[in-house]
Amino acid sequence: MSVSNQIILVTGANRGIGAATVRELLTRDVKKVYAAARNPASLPDFGDARVVPLTLDITDEAQVKAAAETAGDVDIVVNNAGTAVFSDVLNSPLDTIGADFHANFYGTLRVMQAFAPKLVAKGAGTIANVISVVGLVAVASLGGYSASKAALLSVTQSARAGLKGTGVKVLGIFPGPIDTDLARDIPLEKATPESAAKRIVAGLEAGEEYIFTDPVADHIGHTWRTNAPGLEAAMAGAE
Ligand SMILES: NC(=O)c1ccc[n+]([C@@H]2O[C@H](COP(=O)([O-])OP(=O)(O)OC[C@H]3O[C@@H](n4cnc5c(N)ncnc54)[C@H](OP(=O)(O)O)[C@@H]3O)[C@@H](O)[C@H]2O)c1
């Protein structure tokens, strides 16, 4: 599926992977990009009249409903917005662990629920959820975040099954470490958001159900496919 002439909404479009994805989309002949952000004033100047700013805090039910009406003509929804709190699942307060669920799980699911009927009514479309490789295998120092992304993978799979036959595809995007604010305190070599965005848009165009965005994600994805128990042991050993 080409992104040519498509209308695409990207959440969390003001910085990081979201802003890079908007810029990558603008290199193609897309029709319109809704650049959604909690605070539209924080959106960079994309310098392109095809960009339509949209106010969208994905944890705000009223804003999500309003966005689904304003952007009801959308073809592709890229659920990129997310948060990451370092939490140890055995010792952190449940509120701390739950913090990432507000945006990553319930927020993304709220957007999926609001937009899926619009896409189903058109008989075509794509919902692409930015998950993480830690949704495939937990990283203990990011235990709550990993759990929120594993839960997001689960609803991505459920929605894919639920929308089968409607013409609406549901894709998962699995970044490894990417050099953004969110990963600032992660002491690993990181890919650039621009390179991740290229892989995201290529994956959208290919309709890949599992889109890996960088070399670390490629490696983890390969090991997950071939030896998931071994991957868990390797991640536990790497911490
Ligand atoms: N960077 C990595 O290594 C990495 C790896 C795997 C997965 N990811 C995922 O990639 C996605 C993008 O992250 P990033 O690395 O680009 O991080 P980032 O630079 O920190 O950007 C996070 C984006 O999410 C937005 N956001 C947070 N909560 C929101 C809410 N309630 N409603 C709407 N927008 C909200 C932020 O908006 P504000 O500016 O308003 O806060 C910001 O635009 C996230 O889902 C993240 O989990 C990142």
Side-chain angles (χ1 to χ4, degrees), residues 12 14-15 17 38 57-58 80 82 145 149 176 178 180 182:
N14 54 311
R15 57 193 173 100
I17 296 170
R38 285 198 271 212
D57 180 334
I58 63 170
N80 163 74
Y145 175 73
K149 293 293 190 173
I178 311 294
T180 67
L182 180 138

Side-chain angles (χ1 to χ4, degrees), residues 4 59 65 68 106 115 119 124 130 132 183 201:
S4 177
T59 65
K65 282 190 172 148
Y106 290 111
F115 280 90
L119 301 176
V130 179
S132 168
V201 175

